[in-house]
């Protein structure tokens, strides 16, 4: 993984967290945002599907149980539609304005879940996403690698110890989640310069430290230029 520093005052960077359900992406994304803000960066934390009004509606349609049959192609197009709105309305304007964008999931989730998990094929899913995003790619993707069993046990227990219901994708069998995990690891191997792969079984603090040390240049405090 390499992340060369641009002018932090003007260059928005696009950092994406990926990984299986229950990997701890949202927690780490929030900690990274906090560290960046502390150092004077303008930061936007967002997620997919979601981040816009229409995207949050699509999120409910695609993830909630009881919305009717969602076949694989429809599912891929719903994620891509939510992403198109997200890129157009939120991500690109923020990056253009010099804001760091920290996003929970992006195109690689569609390549893994719909391309591989739903067996639509990576190429077909990539092409609808090229159209949706206009080819926007993350500067860095942090992959939190979690086993299907560990992911399920984490996501089904809330902070208060009460059990949490799984959504439509989460409730797929371990075999599905295992293929998603292999797909992410394969993507990371194929593009090592863009990916930082971390073992999600580490503690929250250990993971945050590993991410901070990899992003060292970006965590240098922003100084006012005269
Ligand atoms: P989240 O719970 O991590 O926010 O992600 C929502 C679910 O949607 C998760 O199970 C992964 C799935 N997903 C896809 O299948 N394709 C996608 O493109 C995205 C962004 C998420």
């Amino acid at each position: 993984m390499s992340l060369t520093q641009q002018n932090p005052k003007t260059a928005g960077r696009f950092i994406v967290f990926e990984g299986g359900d229950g990997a701890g992406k949202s927690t780490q994304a929030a900690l990274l945002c906090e560290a960046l803000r502390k150092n004077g960066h303008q930061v936007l934390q967002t997620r997919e599907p979601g981040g816009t009004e229409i995207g949050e509606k699509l999120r409910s349609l695609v993830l909630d149980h009881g919305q009717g049959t969602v076949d694989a192609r429809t599912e891929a197009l719903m994620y891509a539609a939510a992403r198109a709105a997200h890129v157009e309305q939120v991500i690109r304007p923020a990056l253009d304005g010099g804001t760091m964008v920290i996003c929970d999931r992006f195109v690689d989730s569609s390549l893994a879940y719909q391309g591989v998990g739903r067996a639509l094929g990576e190429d077909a899913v990539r092409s609808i996403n090229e159209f949706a995003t206009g080819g926007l790619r993350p500067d860095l993707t942090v992959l939190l690698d979690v086993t299907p069993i560990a992911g399920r046990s984490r996501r089904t227990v809330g902070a208060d110890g009460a059990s949490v219901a799984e959504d439509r994708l989460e409730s797929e069998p371990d075999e599905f989640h295992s293929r998603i995990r292999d797909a992410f690891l394969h993507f990371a191997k194929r593009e090592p310069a863009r990916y930082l792969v971390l073992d999600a079984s580490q503690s929250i603090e250990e993971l945050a430290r590993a991410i901070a040390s990899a992003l060292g240049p970006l965590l240098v405090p922003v100084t006012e230029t005269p």
Side-chain angles (χ1 to χ4, degrees):
M1 192 264 352
S2 70
L3 191 67
T4 53
Q5 190 182 21
Q6 294 177 356
N7 178 353
K9 288 293 275 184
T10 55
R13 293 305 195 88
F14 185 27
I15 297 171
V16 171
F17 281 80
E18 294 281 12
D21 297 278
K25 296 181 296 353
S26 324
T27 306
Q28 291 303 325
L31 290 172
L32 175 61
C33 286
E34 201 181 299
L36 287 165
R37 283 199 186 102
K38 244 190 220 154
N39 288 327
H41 292 274
Q42 224 179 305
V43 184
L44 172 77
Q45 185 182 355
T46 186
R47 69 169 182 179
E48 293 211 340
T52 64
E53 201 179 333
I54 190 89
E56 291 295 333
K57 286 181 180 157
L58 282 161
R59 181 182 179 93
S60 304
L61 280 175
V62 78
L63 287 176
D64 293 352
H65 293 280
Q67 300 284 358
T69 303
V70 184
D71 60 87
R73 283 166 197 261
T74 304
E75 184 179 284
L77 288 164
M78 286 165 88
Y79 281 113
R83 184 164 297 128
H86 198 201
V87 169
E88 175 73 19
Q89 298 170 28
V90 175
I91 299 177
R92 265 197 210 280
L95 293 173
D96 289 348
T99 296
M100 311 269 300
V101 177
I102 312 299
C103 189
D104 199 330
R105 299 192 181 280
F106 196 59
V107 173
D108 288 352
S109 273
S110 282
L111 299 182
Y113 282 81
Q114 283 67 53
V116 177
R118 299 296 195 210
L120 287 176
E122 219 191 299
D123 289 347
V125 175
R126 182 178 288 107
S127 88
I128 59 169
N129 277 283
E130 283 289 316
F131 177 72
T133 65
L136 179 68
R137 282 179 183 70
D139 294 299
L140 170 70
T141 298
V142 180
L143 173 60
L144 299 185
D145 177 45
V146 68
T147 65
I149 291 169
R152 194 178 299 278
S153 72
R154 279 194 194 185
R155 68 183 176 254
T156 50
V157 181
D160 55 0
S163 75
V164 177
E166 293 187 304
D167 65 33
R168 206 175 55 79
L169 272 280
E170 287 170 342
S171 52
E172 288 290 334
D174 287 348
E175 181 273 329
F176 177 84
H177 289 284
S178 180
R179 282 188 290 126
I180 307 297
R181 180 188 184 205
D182 291 347
F184 277 128
L185 289 170
H186 170 67
F187 300 159
K189 226 181 202 164
R190 195 170 59 185
E191 261 188 280
R194 173 165 69 88
Y195 262 93
L196 169 67
V197 184
L198 296 170
D199 176 354
S201 69
Q202 298 174 78
S203 70
I204 290 176
E205 294 75 21
E206 281 170 325
L207 276 175
R209 264 198 302 277
I211 293 167
S213 88
L215 269 70
L218 291 178
L219 291 168
V220 170
V222 174
T223 48
E224 291 299 327
T225 40

